[in-house]
Amino acid sequence: MILLALSLLTALNLQAGPYEQYYQQLPIQMNEPVLPTQPSNTVKLTDFGGVGDGITDNTEAFRKAISTLQKQGGGRLIVTQGVYLTGMIVLKSNIDLHVERNAMIQFSPDKQLFLKRDKTTGQVTGEKAQPGITASKCQNISITGQGIIDGNGEWWRAVKRSKVSDVEWKAFREMGGTVTDDGSLWYPFNLKHFSNIADDYKRQEQMRVHMIRLTDCENVLVKDVTLQNAPKFHLVPQRCKNVTIDGVNVRCPWNAQNGDGIDIMQCRDVLIVNSRVDVGDDGICLKGGVGADGVKHGGCENLLIQDNIVFHAHGGFVIGSEFSGGMQNIVVRGNTFSGTDTGLRFKSGAGRGGKTGRIFISDIFMNDIKDEAITIETTYADNPVGTSGRKATGEEFLPEFCDIDISRVVCRDCETAVSAHGTIEMIHDIRLKDCTFFYTKKAYDIDAETMFQTQNVKMATF
């Protein structure tokens, strides 16, 4: 019996993964994500004509290197020190894109390089631009290393005049571009040195791309890299299973339009740890699809988010606005938010909502929060840049924020500690326990129709 017990213990230890320590003492049962496994083959980008001079277009070098590894069954593509300008990079199964220290992948300001083209004729196919790095229906893929991936976002993003200084506004105008009649917005349309990819600035704005988008993939690892200055969102796994994000640094200007950091969309079995986010929109955000399509593909399930720091962002940890597929089994613990607009942000509206369940948030430490430390909003409407006044309407896919436990939150300096607006059908069974808030305007701004329970919550102000 003793020998049997020892052999079982040895087997369990052999099966334990490198992130086992994060899965101790969880409030719910959760499996550790499966990490990618890849062959030991190794190639360098420079072996395929890659030149890190910041001038040469390396799009074809990346394509050849990845194609060669794919034929070998996979392996590691090493990007050595230098600045490698490129168009879109399409990853394949069993490949690790490894960006070494002092290496930078910078996406070209030429938007033409992000359009799909027929391999034979070179003609553009489809109406959408493609993300800088993309993968679809792949397994065992990773992006690693201590280098930088830069999205060159200023060549894509619209800019609000009210959010930049005179010096910055002048710099944008010197790029060329288009200013709206009222002078409130600048669009990178009709630039001096690069051609458009649409007939007008509004259509081109709709073609703005994410920097990294991985769709329907399994066993994904993003580790140690710096992701910065995306045209839109920085890192977007969608409908993926087994995703590990560890030690990633995500950064962009505070006023970058739609500059989300890490957006997890309709994924299962996800771990986000040891990462830093400092961006222009939501920091770490969970999304679960819109309407019937969101329900069809499901939402987010089994996610652990721990030991991360979010500096500037619209929200430190965010659910929504779209989550019709639901949110289940989410643990967020041991994170710091310093300088975000809001801390814990739950947002949705009619047509975009779903139901949450078994969400546990604990040991969150915040300071210098511009607005609310915790906010639940049920009338949120998505207003693209250049539009305003859109309201959430309808009676289907209403948000239902419920079964959320929030404990041991400490916040120094926020305008409002806790706000929640909606009906009891939309906001109920929210439990707030053992928390401390120092606020400057309001302790609570909560609609009476909601079901918001508090226990041992301390409020203080001047």
Side-chain angles (χ1 to χ4, degrees):
M1 289 297 291
I2 295 175
L3 289 174
L4 177 61
L6 288 173
S7 62
L8 287 173
L9 180 61
T10 301
L12 288 172
N13 287 336
L14 288 173
Q15 293 173 1
Y19 295 99
E20 179 191 18
Q21 71 271 25
Y22 293 101
Y23 290 84
Q24 306 301 312
Q25 298 180 335
L26 290 176
I28 50 176
Q29 181 64 39
M30 193 178 293
N31 293 324
E32 183 180 334
V34 176
L35 291 171
T37 55
Q38 296 147 340
S40 58
N41 305 315
T42 299
V43 300
K44 294 182 178 179
L45 186 67
T46 50
D47 297 337
F48 299 87
V51 181
D53 60 2
I55 300 173
T56 302
D57 176 14
N58 289 278
T59 307
E60 185 65 10
F62 275 108
R63 189 196 66 77
K64 289 180 178 178
I66 291 170
S67 177
T68 297
L69 279 176
Q70 184 184 21
K71 292 174 183 177
Q72 297 174 359
R76 169 170 282 188
L77 168 56
I78 298 176
V79 182
T80 55
Q81 67 178 14
V83 179
Y84 296 86
L85 205 66
T86 185
M88 63 179 173
I89 298 171
V90 181
L91 290 179
K92 300 296 182 180
S93 292
N94 307 313
I95 289 178
D96 171 37
L97 175 61
H98 186 77
V99 189
E100 290 188 334
R101 183 186 293 275
N102 295 326
M104 179 184 295
I105 297 173
Q106 185 166 16
F107 293 108
S108 172
D110 184 358
K111 301 180 185 69
Q112 297 288 338
L113 295 176
F114 300 89
L115 298 176
K116 277 189 174 181
R117 297 180 182 274
D118 184 272
K119 293 180 180 179
T120 303
T121 66
Q123 296 296 311
V124 174
T125 59
E127 298 182 353
K128 293 184 178 180
Q130 301 301 303
I133 297 176
T134 184
S136 177
K137 298 180 180 178
C138 292
Q139 295 181 331
N140 300 316
I141 58 174
S142 56
I143 302 172
T144 63
Q146 296 182 326
I148 296 174
I149 302 176
D150 188 300
N152 234 338
E154 63 268 25
W155 297 94
W156 289 84
R157 295 189 301 261
V159 176
K160 293 181 178 178
R161 178 64 183 91
S162 60
K163 287 190 172 184
V164 296
S165 67
D166 291 345
V167 173
E168 291 170 305
W169 185 252
K170 181 180 178 182
F172 284 114
R173 294 297 303 272
E174 288 175 351
M175 293 165 62
T178 301
V179 177
T180 55
D181 292 340
D182 63 1
S184 64
L185 282 164
W186 174 88
Y187 288 88
F189 184 81
N190 290 339
L191 295 167
K192 289 181 180 178
H193 303 294
F194 300 100
S195 60
N196 301 316
I197 56 173
D199 294 333
D200 62 78
Y201 67 84
K202 291 184 179 179
R203 170 61 182 146
Q204 185 164 285
E205 167 63 22
Q206 294 171 353
M207 297 175 70
R208 190 151 48 102
V209 298
H210 302 314
M211 193 165 81
I212 301 174
R213 184 168 188 145
L214 312 172
T215 307
D216 298 309
C217 295
E218 290 192 21
N219 308 343
V220 174
L221 173 66
V222 184
K223 190 174 190 300
D224 294 336
V225 290
T226 292
L227 310 176
Q228 66 182 27
N229 201 19
K232 200 172 181 181
F233 301 172
H234 288 76
L235 177 57
V236 186
Q238 182 172 24
R239 299 191 302 273
C240 293
K241 179 178 172 59
N242 295 321
V243 178
T244 303
I245 300 169
D246 178 12
V248 174
N249 182 31
V250 187
R251 56 190 296 271
C252 70
W254 73 270
N255 50 12
Q257 191 71 32
N258 306 116
D260 285 27
I262 300 171
D263 279 43
I264 306 297
M265 298 183 177
Q266 300 169 290
C267 294
R268 299 185 60 190
D269 301 329
V270 178
L271 174 66
I272 305 174
V273 292
N274 306 319
S275 295
R276 295 191 173 203
V277 179
D278 190 346
V279 292
D281 209 308
D282 290 327
I284 299 174
C285 184
L286 311 185
K287 298 179 183 293
V290 178
D293 187 66
V295 173
K296 176 183 176 181
H297 293 289
C300 289
E301 186 172 357
N302 298 332
L303 277 73
L304 174 58
I305 300 169
Q306 182 174 333
D307 296 345
N308 305 287
I309 301 175
V310 181
F311 295 103
H312 185 273
H314 287 183
F317 169 73
V318 183
I319 289 180
S321 65
E322 62 269 30
F323 73 108
S324 298
M327 295 282 159
Q328 305 290 327
N329 289 7
I330 314 292
V331 176
V332 182
R333 64 182 186 179
N335 297 285
T336 298
F337 307 147
S338 181
T340 59
D341 289 354
T342 59
L344 302 172
R345 186 184 190 194
F346 307 90
K347 59 175 182 175
S348 192
R352 309 176 72 82
K355 185 176 182 179
T356 63
R358 297 184 300 279
I359 296 180
F360 299 87
I361 302 172
S362 64
D363 301 294
I364 305 297
F365 305 96
M366 315 182 199
N367 78 325
D368 293 334
I369 305 301
K370 176 177 172 286
D371 299 315
E372 302 95 345
I374 301 172
T375 182
I376 303 178
E377 180 183 357
T378 59
T379 58
Y380 183 88
D382 184 27
N383 285 293
V385 63
T387 65
S388 62
R390 182 181 296 180
K391 296 181 179 179
T393 59
E395 298 181 356
E396 290 187 307
F397 305 107
L398 299 177
E400 185 178 358
F401 292 110
C402 61
D403 194 14
I404 301 174
D405 286 88
I406 303 173
S407 62
R408 298 187 299 280
V409 173
V410 177
C411 178
R412 171 71 192 194
D413 288 335
C414 58
E415 186 175 82
T416 301
V418 183
S419 74
H421 299 290
T423 66
I424 195 169
E425 291 81 13
M426 294 184 182
I427 303 174
H428 62 92
D429 295 299
I430 311 295
R431 296 171 286 270
L432 188 64
K433 181 180 178 182
D434 299 333
C435 298
T436 303
F437 300 90
F438 186 94
Y439 65 93
T440 59
K441 186 175 179 180
K442 287 184 179 180
Y444 296 103
D445 183 14
I446 298 176
D447 290 350
E449 295 82 2
T450 65
M451 186 185 296
F452 211 109
Q453 305 165 23
T454 62
Q455 180 181 346
N456 190 32
V457 175
K458 181 180 179 181
M459 296 287 182
T461 190
F462 293 107

